Amino acid sequence: MPEPDFKALFDATPSPYMVLDADLRIAAVNRAYLQATGTASDQIIGRDIFDVFPDNPDDPTASGVRNLRASLLRVLQNRCADTMAIQKYDIRIYGPDGARFEERYWSPVNTPVFDGAGNVGHIIHRVEDVTDFVRARERGDRMALAIHDQALEIEIANRRLREANDELEQRVAARTAAQHRTEKQLRASELRFRTMADSIPQLVWIVDAAGAAVYVNRQWSAYTGVALDDTVPGDIAQAFVHPDERALTDAAWTRAREDGTGFGAEHRLRSATGEYRWFLVRAEPYRDPDSGEIALWFGTSTDVHDRKLAEAGLRKSEARYRSLFESIDQGFCIIDMKFDADGRPCDYVFCELNPSFQAQTGLVDAVGKSMRELAPAHESHWFDIYGRVALTGEPVRFENEAKALDRWYDVFASRIDEEDGARVAILFSDITRQKRMTETLRRSEEAAIEAARRADVERQKLDALLQAAPVGIVVSDTDGAILLANAAHRQLWGTAHPETKAVAQFGAWRGWWADHSERHGRQVAAHEWTTARILAGEEHPRDLVTIESFDEPPVRRTVLITGAPVKDSDGAITGSVVAQMDISDRIRAEDALREADRRKDEFLAMLAHELRNPLAPIAAAADLLALGRADAARIRQTSSIIARQVRHMTGLVDDLLDVSRVTRGLVKLDRTVLDAKRIVTEAVEQVRPLIEMRRHRLVVETPPEAGFVAGDVKRLVQVIANLLNNAAKFTPEGGEIGLGMDVDGSHVRIAVTDNGIGIAPALQASVFDLFTQADRASDRSQGGLGIGLALVKSLVELHGGHVAVHSEGIGKGSRFVVCLPRADGAVPAASAGLPTAGFAASGRVLKVLVVDDNVDAAQMLGMVIEELGHDVVIEHHPRRAIDRALACRPDVCVLDIGLPDMDGNELARLLRRQAATASSTLIAVTGYGQEQDRDTALAAGFDHHFAKPVDSGQLARLLAEIGKTARQA
């Protein structure tokens, strides 16, 4: 007998099958599985099942992956099949608009396949797509839950039955070429078939043309208790088929053998325990390819016992439902809506109706006919209502008149989802008689109802106005009892405010006068509240009060309270209306504005003072030099004073620019990993001259271990140096300053302490705010702009840390602590080398063009460059500078940015376009020293950028480097 091609049979099986290895990777799938999931074999073989079939990301309740994984792990652990409940597991579908997830429901069975060693080598995953049935069950829940639940189970069983039939038909129709394969391949194929057949839940059997059993799977033997060797041909029906179905089974088998067509029957089979269960039996013939004669019959027996029981239950339920349907007195019908080309409902056709329908409507033989046929004048609003129900699925209950039928109806309409589209079920009663009986009553009451409606509308308008008002409104009666309070009032005072009944109870409401009069800050007495004074006869009070709400915790707000009395027709006061407006934000804004204005004035005065201080010695030195009587020593002393004061002014400007850049987020940190000890050391070196000048005693304490931090060394040194500078300035001469560092877990702390003037408690909360300083004497002996600590706070926070201050008070010293995140295990960056002292030797004399419209600045800069040994040409106007440059062909052009008619950037672009100056080195000199100014200058063609005042040492080194490069060229 030729061996069947089991791979072809597996691929032809109509039920979707997937084979997974023990690592849950896809090893094989049949054609039905690919069709059901919309995938291709070469795209999913070898991949993890959950990578190929993930949960729907748009469904937060999706649990398909979790449930399927749990089932597969149970199979691997328990080594037995696992049948899962119906699962919602959406499938990714690819269309012309891209990928989308389609809602699908499945009935899965996971069965282990054991290898030669008895281990679970593979898992056969068999699913049934029950999406349609689940949706049918959901529709049935809305109409008749119990009936449709049973129907859904029958539908699922029918689907399984059809798939089993299709599986058998495709398996029998497959053709095999097994005779052309080697014996080893035949054994492997047979092993795979037997493994698959033993893994599926159906009873699988193969008989030869005479009816002798050739093969039965494990399920057959387990159910019947009879192995293949014990099965006698022709005795199967006698031994296992129920006597009531035995004759029908024999007749069907005889016809199939005679006609050579498929065999099918439903009968009960006896199990090994003697119990009978219903099975759907299908078999298809396999013909010899050469002779065409039937060689084998491939058959399956599918358990449909539960379906048969469900069908019987369904027939009983349908009978009960039909009896109820036909016995109710109300009219009932199911209609199919019709829509025109524009999607508007225009008609409906009656699909089903009960016996009471004709009595309730007067319509005869309505099934299959449209409403327009039966009643052409039927109003369009009926079509609109039912069309909306069909489209939205929202049920509706209403009463309306059908003039074409001369009747009134009480109607309930809901949508029914059918396989061929949505329909509308209508339950209705003829209420014409009731309507006509109430018409007379309606007319008699119409006037009263209309009057009441108008009054209610006016009241609702008033209520809406009060509730929508952005201010708190309270209406009280003549005793002071609250009659009405709007939402804004409750928000101001809290929902737990007392239900006040009289003026005497106003003492429970807490408030303080806030009108800056002599009573400012005093608590408002009960008789002083606005309502009390209005009821006492005051016409239009206007009060400014700070109130305390009844919230937990209470909230204080400043409110403006106004009000007026409510009077009757005789002018007597019958109540009051009070409005309360929360102006807390406005009060705070006004206070903040006044404080900001005060601090601005203080800062401008302080800035003027700080700038005038260095200008005084500079002006005196200039006057001394102008006298022409100073010797060389006096000139050097004078130059030293000028240079020192210029550095001081430059430091002030740099501080202003620094705080501007930091507060606007323009600072770029050059982060490296470094030991915080380096920060301490370099900060001490910067501040040591000031400390020694004021004869302070400085104590530095650092731990033995390293404290690594990730940060900009220049900026961190600036932070500690600022704190040390402050300590030195605000500690009397001969005082003590401490600088300590410690490593605490994930942080490195650096503390600066002193025994100086200390900080008042009221100032400590704002000491890090911009332009904040303690009270100063008019001599400004300490100096500074009040921006150093603000800069410290911003720079520390940029490094992810924080800074804190503590002082016991005036005269008791201060302690500032900087806390930075620790970078454990890092290697500190090497210390940056200090700039080489002195000027580098010049390679050759350079020809330098200086352009600046400030004559004094140009001449002084030219004199400095000449002293460095170079030739200088000076121009004050950019137009003349272009002509001079073309004539003298300078090596270096030093250009001021702020020139008249044409700024330095435009002049640089013009010089770059001239052949005579295209290769010249262009140096920008400007009073604008921010990073964006430097970027703008370099983009215009400058090679270098100096901020005023120019550092002579840096300029000398640059010119020396240019001269050296020119000589080498």
Side-chain angles (χ1 to χ4, degrees):
M1 181 182 65
E3 289 289 340
D5 184 351
F6 297 112
K7 183 178 185 306
L9 290 174
F10 171 70
D11 199 44
T13 302
S15 294
Y17 283 93
M18 180 193 333
V19 181
L20 303 172
D21 64 15
D23 294 327
L24 306 186
R25 291 190 299 267
I26 301 173
V29 291
N30 69 347
R31 186 182 301 115
Y33 195 93
L34 296 176
Q35 291 173 351
T37 60
T39 55
S41 176
D42 57 349
Q43 296 175 350
I44 66 174
I45 296 298
R47 294 177 59 189
D48 186 278
I49 182 174
F50 301 114
D51 289 342
V52 178
F53 302 108
D55 273 333
N56 186 351
D58 297 328
D59 183 0
T61 64
S63 60
V65 169
R66 182 177 68 250
N67 296 340
L68 179 55
R69 188 190 302 276
S71 174
L72 296 174
L73 293 178
R74 285 197 299 272
V75 172
L76 292 173
Q77 180 178 358
N78 300 333
R79 299 165 56 85
C80 60
D82 189 84
T83 300
M84 300 178 64
I86 292 175
Q87 300 290 317
K88 181 180 183 296
Y89 204 134
D90 298 348
I91 296 297
R92 183 164 42 201
I93 302 299
Y94 293 91
D97 297 329
R100 63 180 179 83
F101 278 82
E102 182 176 279
E103 183 181 79
R104 302 282 282 276
Y105 291 85
W106 310 88
S107 177
V109 178
N110 299 307
T111 307
V113 179
F114 301 95
D115 57 18
N119 298 319
V120 178
H122 291 81
I123 299 174
I124 292 181
H125 173 65
R126 177 181 177 273
V127 295
E128 299 180 19
D129 187 346
V130 296
T131 303
D132 294 339
F133 307 125
V134 171
R135 290 173 179 168
R137 183 170 61 187
E138 292 174 352
R139 294 193 301 268
D141 288 343
R142 291 190 294 270
M143 292 298 296
L145 181 60
I147 295 175
H148 282 277
D149 279 343
Q150 296 173 0
L152 177 59
E153 293 177 6
I154 294 173
E155 287 296 332
I156 294 174
N158 287 335
R159 175 60 182 265
R160 290 177 177 171
L161 179 61
R162 288 194 297 271
E163 288 179 350
N165 290 339
D166 294 341
E167 173 188 350
L168 184 59
E169 290 172 359
Q170 293 186 27
R171 184 182 299 166
V172 173
R175 292 296 182 265
T176 178
Q179 61 269 28
H180 302 297
R181 299 182 181 176
T182 65
E183 182 179 350
K184 181 178 179 180
Q185 291 172 325
L186 287 172
R187 286 197 301 270
S189 178
E190 181 180 0
L191 178 60
R192 287 193 298 271
F193 168 75
R194 290 179 180 275
T195 302
M196 182 189 72
D198 286 342
S199 301
I200 63 177
Q202 286 96 340
L203 311 184
V204 179
W205 46 272
I206 303 175
V207 299
D208 61 16
V214 175
Y215 169 80
V216 293
N217 69 345
R218 184 185 303 162
Q219 280 70 21
W220 169 270
S221 301
Y223 180 78
T224 63
V226 178
L228 175 64
D229 295 340
D230 300 326
T231 303
V232 179
D235 292 343
I236 294 177
Q238 295 295 326
F240 300 106
V241 177
H242 193 280
D244 293 346
E245 291 89 41
R246 196 172 295 161
L248 294 175
T249 301
D250 290 341
W253 175 245
T254 300
R255 285 195 303 273
R257 294 180 61 188
E258 292 174 352
D259 299 339
T261 58
F263 163 71
E266 283 189 2
H267 56 221
R268 283 170 285 179
L269 287 180
R270 180 177 54 80
S271 69
T273 62
E275 175 192 5
Y276 280 96
R277 292 183 64 84
W278 281 95
F279 281 83
L280 170 65
V281 186
R282 296 295 302 272
E284 291 293 334
Y286 171 76
R287 297 181 183 274
D288 186 282
D290 297 327
S291 65
E293 297 294 329
I294 296 175
L296 297 170
W297 290 84
F298 292 89
T300 61
S301 299
T302 302
D303 189 332
V304 294
H305 189 76
D306 294 337
R307 189 208 70 187
K308 296 289 286 186
L309 296 180
E311 287 177 345
L314 178 61
R315 286 192 294 270
K316 292 180 181 179
S317 297
E318 286 181 344
R320 290 194 296 268
Y321 172 74
R322 178 58 59 182
S323 176
L324 174 65
F325 178 76
E326 293 180 353
S327 63
I328 59 176
D329 294 332
Q330 293 175 293
F332 180 80
C333 62
I334 297 176
I335 61 172
D336 185 12
M337 289 302 305
K338 302 299 178 184
F339 299 86
D340 61 18
D342 296 326
R344 291 190 297 267
C346 59
D347 201 356
Y348 51 82
V349 175
F350 293 101
C351 302
E352 187 176 356
L353 46 85
N354 71 340
S356 298
F357 176 87
Q358 180 174 338
Q360 294 280 344
T361 63
L363 302 177
V364 181
D365 297 330
V367 174
K369 297 179 181 178
S370 73
M371 191 63 189
R372 292 292 190 193
E373 293 179 60
L374 298 170
H378 199 50
E379 296 89 342
S380 60
H381 59 77
W382 293 94
F383 306 117
D384 294 337
I385 293 173
Y386 296 150
R388 189 160 53 251
V389 172
L391 292 174
T392 66
E394 296 180 3
V396 62
R397 175 72 179 266
F398 64 96
E399 292 182 1
N400 213 332
E401 182 180 11
K403 293 182 179 179
L405 304 179
D406 193 24
R407 303 186 188 212
W408 277 84
Y409 291 101
D410 177 14
V411 182
F412 176 77
S414 61
R415 186 172 71 180
I416 302 175
D417 293 321
E418 301 288 353
E419 292 185 359
D420 55 348
R423 292 176 177 170
V424 178
I426 305 170
L427 183 67
F428 59 94
S429 299
D430 184 351
I431 59 171
T432 306
R433 183 179 178 185
Q434 296 94 308
K435 280 291 182 180
R436 290 172 179 171
M437 289 175 63
T438 57
E439 181 64 20
T440 302
L441 179 62
R442 184 193 64 79
R443 291 175 181 175
S444 65
E445 296 177 348
E446 189 174 40
I449 293 174
E450 179 62 21
R453 186 192 64 80
R454 286 196 297 267
D456 188 59
V457 167
E458 294 302 321
R459 182 188 59 79
Q460 290 177 0
K461 288 179 180 179
L462 177 59
D463 287 346
L465 176 62
L466 291 176
Q467 296 302 326
V471 298
I473 298 177
V474 178
V475 180
S476 304
D477 64 12
T478 186
D479 296 324
I482 297 176
L483 301 178
L484 176 64
N486 69 345
H489 170 81
R490 292 189 294 274
Q491 184 177 2
L492 283 174
W493 288 96
T495 56
H497 66 73
E499 295 293 333
T500 305
K501 300 298 184 183
V503 170
Q505 298 175 353
F506 285 1
W509 301 72
R510 294 171 59 82
W512 297 264
W513 295 108
D515 54 3
H516 297 282
S517 65
E518 67 279 359
R519 63 184 181 181
H520 185 88
R522 180 172 60 79
Q523 186 168 351
V524 180
H527 67 278
E528 293 179 317
W529 282 103
T530 310
T531 298
R533 299 194 339 261
I534 290 174
L535 295 175
E538 189 172 338
E539 282 291 332
H540 298 288
R542 182 181 179 87
D543 301 326
L544 196 62
V545 178
T546 297
I547 66 170
E548 183 177 272
S549 73
F550 293 91
D551 298 308
E552 287 295 339
V555 178
R556 289 200 174 191
R557 300 180 176 91
T558 301
V559 297
L560 175 63
I561 307 177
T562 60
V566 178
K567 300 180 179 180
D568 59 18
S569 58
D570 297 328
I573 296 176
T574 60
S576 67
V577 177
V578 171
Q580 307 152 95
M581 179 182 296
D582 185 355
I583 59 171
S584 304
D585 292 340
R586 191 186 79 185
I587 295 297
R588 284 193 291 268
E590 291 174 353
D591 292 342
L593 185 60
R594 283 192 292 269
E595 176 64 17
D597 192 51
R598 182 189 65 78
R599 290 171 61 184
K600 179 201 69 175
D601 292 341
E602 287 186 359
F603 171 72
L604 291 176
M606 177 174 51
L607 179 62
H609 183 280
E610 290 294 322
L611 292 177
R612 286 194 183 99
N613 277 345
L615 286 176
I618 292 173
D623 293 340
L624 179 62
L625 294 174
L627 293 175
R629 301 173 186 174
D631 56 14
R634 181 60 60 85
I635 291 175
R636 283 195 298 274
Q637 182 183 8
T638 303
S639 298
S640 176
I641 292 172
I642 293 173
R644 188 162 53 251
Q645 297 302 322
V646 168
R647 283 195 299 273
H648 177 61
M649 292 182 67
T650 302
L652 293 175
V653 174
D654 286 343
D655 282 348
L656 284 173
L657 293 177
D658 256 356
V659 76
S660 173
R661 285 192 291 265
V662 170
T663 54
R664 289 186 294 154
L666 300 179
V667 169
K668 297 180 180 177
L669 299 180
D670 183 13
R671 291 184 182 269
T672 57
V673 177
L674 65 152
D675 190 346
K677 292 180 182 179
R678 174 183 170 188
I679 301 170
V680 171
T681 301
E682 294 189 15
V684 170
E685 289 303 316
Q686 284 191 19
V687 186
R688 188 177 297 280
L690 176 61
I691 293 176
E692 291 176 350
M693 181 184 72
R694 296 180 63 84
R695 299 190 302 280
H696 293 312
R697 179 173 176 266
L698 175 64
V699 178
V700 180
E701 296 180 352
T702 58
E705 72 271 19
F708 296 141
V709 296
D712 188 319
V713 62
K714 175 183 175 183
R715 293 298 186 180
L716 291 177
V717 170
Q718 181 182 4
V719 166
I720 305 305
N722 269 357
L723 295 177
L724 287 172
N725 261 315
N726 269 8
K729 288 193 297 183
F730 294 105
T731 299
E733 292 189 7
E736 294 187 358
I737 298 175
L739 176 59
M741 167 190 158
D742 69 270
V743 180
D744 178 16
S746 60
H747 292 85
V748 175
R749 291 182 173 82
I750 302 175
V752 176
T753 60
D754 63 68
N755 61 349
I757 65 173
I759 305 173
L763 189 63
Q764 292 184 37
S766 60
V767 72
F768 293 106
D769 293 345
L770 197 60
F771 309 139
T772 296
Q773 284 191 331
D775 294 338
R776 300 177 295 277
S778 60
D779 60 2
R780 295 274 305 151
S781 59
Q782 288 83 13
L785 299 176
I787 62 178
L789 291 180
L791 191 60
V792 165
K793 179 175 182 291
S794 298
L795 288 174
V796 171
E797 289 177 348
L798 282 177
H799 284 81
H802 60 273
V803 60
V805 62
H806 175 72
S807 175
E808 295 295 335
I810 299 298
K812 297 183 179 180
S814 305
R815 175 180 174 85
F816 289 84
V817 180
V818 174
C819 183
L820 297 170
R822 183 181 180 187
D824 288 332
V827 178
S831 298
L834 297 175
T836 304
F839 298 162
S842 176
R844 69 176 178 85
V845 176
L846 300 173
K847 185 176 295 183
V848 181
L849 171 63
V850 176
V851 183
D852 194 331
D853 61 327
N854 187 318
V855 176
D856 293 337
Q859 289 179 349
M860 289 302 299
L861 183 58
M863 291 168 62
V864 171
I865 295 174
E866 285 179 343
E867 287 296 320
L868 295 174
H870 303 290
D871 295 334
V872 178
V873 177
I874 297 175
E875 278 295 343
H876 305 300
H877 196 281
R879 301 293 180 187
R880 292 194 298 272
I882 295 174
D883 297 335
R884 179 65 70 91
L886 295 177
C888 69
R889 305 174 71 88
D891 300 303
V892 179
C893 297
V894 182
L895 312 178
D896 182 33
I897 296 298
L899 295 172
D901 297 338
M902 176 193 306
D903 68 9
N905 292 326
E906 181 61 27
L907 178 57
R909 283 190 281 268
L910 291 175
L911 292 175
R912 282 290 182 225
R913 290 199 290 268
Q914 302 295 330
T917 54
S919 59
S920 299
T921 300
L922 303 185
I923 301 174
V925 177
T926 174
Y928 305 102
Q930 300 197 49
E931 190 66 28
Q932 61 264 36
D933 302 316
R934 174 182 175 84
D935 294 341
T936 302
L938 297 179
F942 283 102
D943 300 295
H944 304 281
H945 181 275
F946 283 87
K948 292 181 179 180
V950 176
D951 187 320
S952 300
Q954 291 185 8
L955 179 61
R957 285 190 288 274
L958 175 59
L959 294 176
E961 184 64 30
I962 295 171
K964 220 187 302 185
T965 304
R967 183 175 63 183
Q968 292 171 356

